[in-house]
Amino acid sequence: MTITTDIVAKLWGLCNLLRDDGVTYNEYVTELTYLLFLKMLEETKRENRLPDNYRWAALAKREGMEQLDYYKSMLLDLGKAKDTLVSAIFTDAQTRLRKPTNLKALTSNIDQLDWFSARDEGLGNLYEGLLEKNASDKKSGAGQYFTPRPLIDAIVRVMQPQPGETVQDPAAGTAGFLVAADRYIKDHTDDLYKLPEAQAFFQRHNAFVGAELVPDTHRLCMMNLLLHGIEGGVENIDTLSPDGEALSKANLILTNPPFGSKKGGGRPTRSDFSVTADTSNKQLAFVEHIVRALKPGGRAAVVVPDNVLFEDNTGRRLRTWLMDLCNLHTILRLPTGIFYAQGVKTNVLFFQRGKTDKANTKAVWVYDMRANMPAFGKTRRLTVADFAEFEVAYGAEPNGSGERQDQGEEGRWRRFSREAIAARSDNLDVAWLRDTEAEAEEALTEPEDIAGAIIGHLKAALEEIEALSEELEPDSVVEEAAAVAEAAE
């Protein structure tokens, strides 16, 4: 066990102290973020970012109600700090702690951690470990904000982010994609030391941009970026609103947008949207944003649910438009069970924005990583090794232009011409191997995984009903179906 893993386990164990204080798992991680931010600034000798009267030592030495009252005042005032990163993390911050003994337990235990070793292994790794712990705990419900790290790393390796490129995530969550892209670049530039000073500054301050709608998730995102040496870049905005139009154009977009429909059936309010302006389907709208946000020649990798591949009407128009404006060169069909809901079926679309707006897609390569795969879940986690064969098939060129070999009907890697896809009415939900998903799910043994599979299938069915309702407008049908899915959870 590494020091980082040990510290994460100790910090996570402290959550049990707070259960009787009414603190949930997600609230606990947010609470830890406030405290760890203060402690890590002390450890990294960057407390000059804080007002003189609000430092870790001043908080940690206090006792009883005096400490709790001081902490509440600190949170309120730091939300108004002149330092933009400090104010972003503490804006509207409120403690969920009510008992002074619990705050003292947290500050004392945090002080006793092996901070020398944690700094040596990387404070960013420690914080990411906490985020992953929260996401993998089914009770927290945080998995929707956390893309599995092996998947992120595989996507980053084939997309090969480069120094000087603007990298965007319009649905940043806790910044997993941006942090991984930054790590890839640092690994290839001796931690930026091989770059000219101006380019190194760009990497730290301007290379990474994005948006995150949920305020508490945005805090975690900003903290994660800070601990990996990235200064901000992600705004607390709705990408599908006019604010999203102001996001910087990107050379590379890496993202896992939220699934489902906008609350209340709302539509995107972007003036530049033409294809998805009338749909409440968020993932379709995010795909339109991504295409519009890419610079000519820019590339993207985006995680989408199956319905993006086959949905008719708006979905079909979007796919046709996408294949005209971009070279949609690769689709990776992901296995089920790798996200927080067992039955959720997802894919990764890899495409490059064309220099013109017509006929950019000549052929689509599909890698089926779903059929004949193990039952992923609590007892069989996704690993980096699971993507090895896909990465070899994908090739060394980030835009899929390298030499590729169709593996035939018995293999996982097939090429489909643009004409063949047009004959399918631009339906990209292509499968040729025998689907053993049901057999894989029968092998699940953990009650959480089995329940997750059932909920996932219900949610998938609900999405199909919602897609149909957009044409027929029977709101009551959708509401009843949503009630069934919620009851199942």
Side-chain angles (χ1 to χ4, degrees), residues 260-275:
S261 302
K262 284 183 75 69
K263 289 182 179 178
R267 306 310 196 240
T269 54
R270 292 272 293 266
S271 63
D272 60 335
F273 277 14
S274 58
V275 186

Side-chain angles (χ1 to χ4, degrees), residues 142-160:
Q144 60 185 306
Y145 303 121
F146 193 94
T147 307
R149 288 293 175 255
L151 172 59
I152 287 178
D153 290 340
I155 290 172
V156 168
R157 280 194 298 272
V158 299
M159 295 302 278
Q160 303 174 37

Side-chain angles (χ1 to χ4, degrees), residues 37 41 46-51 55 81 83 85-86 226 231:
F37 180 82
L41 285 186
R46 286 188 282 176
E47 285 189 297
N48 60 326
R49 303 188 74 150
L50 300 170
R55 304 290 169 91
D83 187 296
L85 179 65
V86 174
L226 169 72
E231 287 287 329

Side-chain angles (χ1 to χ4, degrees), residues 465-485:
I465 293 171
E466 286 178 335
L468 179 62
S469 75
E470 293 218 339
E471 302 303 314
L472 304 177
E473 301 286 348
D475 292 340
S476 60
V477 173
V478 178
E479 289 169 7
E480 287 178 25
V484 171

Side-chain angles (χ1 to χ4, degrees), residues 68-124:
L68 186 56
D69 289 340
Y70 176 81
Y71 180 50
K72 289 177 179 178
S73 297
M74 173 187 275
L75 295 182
L76 186 65
D77 289 347
L78 289 180
K80 305 169 188 172
K82 293 180 180 178
D83 187 296
T84 55
L85 179 65
V86 174
S87 62
I89 288 176
F90 289 96
T91 295
D92 298 325
Q94 293 182 0
T95 180
R96 298 295 190 269
L97 302 176
R98 293 174 293 182
K99 298 179 180 179
T101 53
N102 285 335
L103 177 58
K104 192 62 186 178
L106 284 176
T107 55
S108 297
N109 277 278
I110 287 172
D111 255 341
Q112 292 166 15
L113 296 174
D114 184 354
W115 286 101
F116 178 82
S117 298
R119 284 199 307 274
D120 192 48
E121 290 189 11
L123 296 179

